[in-house]
């Protein structure tokens, strides 16, 4: 009935006694359900969340339905109606309210990603050839076309041919906020090490995000290039979804 409740069909020799087949079936069902409950606890809790606030329930279900991660822009109507205490309820279930995504951060652990993607592919009976990115990567430069929905489920946001882990994007946000959004931000080894990419790729990446890079005193800086058209697009909800930092000023951080 849903991807967290798979059934099992035994492919087994008829010579095996029916009682033994039944015992094996019960054992495997118990094993897979225990594995799901242990490794995807927060996802199950969101699915079964009972609360009188319809906005909490609606957001919880959207996160569950999206396999643990949803773009903030897609659920902003629910988010904007939540009070601080409402958010605390969801945070207690492992939900992180990011600047661009709302997600269950513990589901990006290797075992959880592997299990979620296997269950998802089995439930939908497609995308069987898709595999999660190599664990430990924060930045991927991939020329071949990847499935962006599958990559988002694995915890990666798309920028042209680049993919960046969304929890790493959050940490990059913090660096930019702490540096003052309006100011020039110096490109440091800390930033490059955080993403795990080359300087050349980083400069291309931030360009996709609406930033302009430049050299000064033999050092590299980048700064957000606000344009009248961009802010008009934000107000009319027509801003391109890939422009993460362009919406920074228009997001409620409460």
């Amino acid at each position: 009935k849903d991807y967290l409740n798979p059934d099992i069909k035994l492919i087994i020799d008829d010579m095996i006694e029916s009682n033994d087949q039944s015992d094996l079936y019960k054992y495997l069902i118990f094993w897979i359900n225990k594995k799901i409950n242990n490794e995807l606890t927060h996802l199950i809790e969101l699915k079964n969340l009972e609360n009188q606030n319809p906005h909490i329930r609606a957001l919880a279900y959207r996160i569950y339905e999206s396999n643990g991660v949803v773009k903030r822009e897609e659920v902003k109507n629910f988010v904007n109606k939540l009070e601080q205490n409402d958010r605390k309820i969801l945070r207690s279930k492992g939900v992180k309210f990011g600047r661009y995504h709302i997600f269950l951060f513990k589901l990006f652990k290797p075992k959880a990603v592997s299990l979620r993607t296997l269950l998802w592919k089995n439930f939908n009976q497609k995308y069987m050839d898709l595999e999660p990115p190599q664990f430990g990567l924060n930045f991927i430069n991939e020329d071949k076309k990847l499935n962006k929905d599958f990559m988002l489920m694995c915890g990666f946001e798309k920028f042209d041919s680049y993919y960046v882990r969304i929890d790493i994007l959050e940490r990059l946000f913090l660096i930019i906020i702490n540096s003052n959004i309006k100011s020039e931000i110096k490109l440091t080894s800390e930033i490059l090490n955080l993403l795990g990419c080359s300087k050349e790729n980083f400069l291309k990446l931030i360009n996709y995000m609406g930033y302009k890079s430049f050299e000064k005193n033999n050092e590299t800086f980048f700064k957000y290039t606000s344009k009248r058209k961009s802010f008009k697009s934000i107000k009319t909800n027509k801003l391109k979804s890939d422009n993460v930092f362009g919406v920074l000023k228009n997001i409620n951080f409460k």
Side-chain angles (χ1 to χ4, degrees):
K1 55 184 179 180
D2 60 65
Y3 69 92
L4 290 182
N5 290 279
D7 197 5
I8 290 177
K9 180 179 180 180
L10 296 179
I11 302 174
I12 196 167
D13 197 296
D14 292 336
M15 294 179 62
I16 305 299
E17 296 289 340
S18 59
N19 289 339
D20 292 333
Q21 291 189 32
S22 177
D23 289 343
L24 178 58
Y25 174 83
K26 292 177 182 178
Y27 173 83
L28 291 174
I29 284 290
F30 175 80
W31 175 82
I32 188 63
N33 287 334
K34 181 179 179 181
K35 186 175 182 66
I36 291 172
N37 288 327
N38 287 342
E39 297 184 12
L40 306 179
T41 301
H42 292 304
L43 200 56
I44 295 172
E45 289 180 348
L46 278 189
K47 176 191 174 187
N48 300 325
L49 181 64
E50 295 181 2
N51 191 282
Q52 293 182 350
N53 188 326
H55 304 299
I56 292 179
R57 295 199 309 271
L59 180 56
Y61 188 78
R62 281 295 303 275
I63 298 171
Y64 156 75
E65 192 177 38
S66 301
N67 214 303
V69 55
V70 63
K71 291 190 176 184
R72 186 165 183 149
E73 179 67 19
E74 296 176 358
V75 292
K76 65 178 181 180
N77 291 336
F78 300 132
V79 175
N80 293 339
K81 294 175 181 178
L82 295 180
E83 302 293 339
Q84 284 297 329
N85 288 336
D86 299 331
R87 299 188 185 204
K88 286 181 180 179
I89 292 173
L90 290 170
R91 287 192 182 101
S92 69
K93 302 298 182 183
V95 175
K96 184 175 180 62
F97 288 84
R99 277 41 173 191
Y100 193 59
H101 302 87
I102 298 175
F103 57 98
L104 291 166
F105 65 94
K106 290 188 176 180
L107 293 189
F108 296 146
K109 294 183 177 180
K111 287 185 179 180
V113 171
S114 295
L115 182 57
R116 282 192 300 118
T117 53
L118 283 172
L119 292 173
W120 180 78
K121 288 190 288 186
N122 181 67
F123 178 73
N124 290 285
Q125 286 298 296
K126 58 182 179 179
Y127 306 128
M128 296 300 185
D129 59 331
L130 299 181
E131 295 294 338
Q134 180 182 341
F135 296 115
L137 292 178
N138 297 334
F139 178 92
I140 298 173
N141 180 12
E142 187 57 74
D143 291 331
K144 68 179 182 179
K145 190 174 181 180
L146 298 176
N147 185 299
K148 67 177 183 179
D149 294 327
F150 180 78
M151 291 294 289
L152 182 61
M153 188 171 65
C154 295
F156 285 80
E157 181 58 76
K158 183 178 188 297
F159 301 91
D160 196 68
S161 63
Y162 297 149
Y163 288 85
V164 184
R165 269 183 55 152
I166 63 176
D167 52 340
I168 298 300
L169 276 179
E170 286 302 309
R171 292 169 63 181
L172 184 57
F173 265 120
L174 292 177
I175 293 175
I176 289 178
I177 291 172
N178 292 334
S179 300
N180 189 335
I181 298 173
K182 296 181 180 180
S183 67
E184 300 173 351
I185 303 168
K186 181 180 175 181
L187 178 58
T188 64
S189 58
E190 175 190 4
I191 294 177
L192 294 178
N193 291 336
L194 174 64
L195 273 75
C197 66
S198 66
K199 178 180 177 180
E200 179 184 2
N201 282 336
F202 179 81
L203 295 180
K204 290 180 180 179
L205 174 66
I206 59 171
N207 182 59
Y208 296 139
M209 293 178 176
Y211 277 70
K212 180 180 180 181
S213 62
F214 54 92
E215 298 292 325
K216 186 172 70 173
N217 299 327
N218 295 322
E219 293 181 315
T220 303
F221 293 81
F222 58 97
K223 184 177 182 179
Y224 179 65
T225 55
S226 60
K227 297 180 181 179
R228 188 179 185 88
K229 182 178 179 180
S230 297
F231 284 102
K232 182 179 179 181
S233 298
I234 291 170
K235 293 178 181 179
T236 57
N237 295 323
K238 293 180 180 179
L239 182 70
K240 292 183 179 179
S241 60
D242 282 350
N243 190 348
V244 177
F245 297 109
V247 300
L248 190 58
K249 291 184 179 179
N250 296 271
I251 295 176
N252 185 351
F253 293 130
K254 293 181 179 179

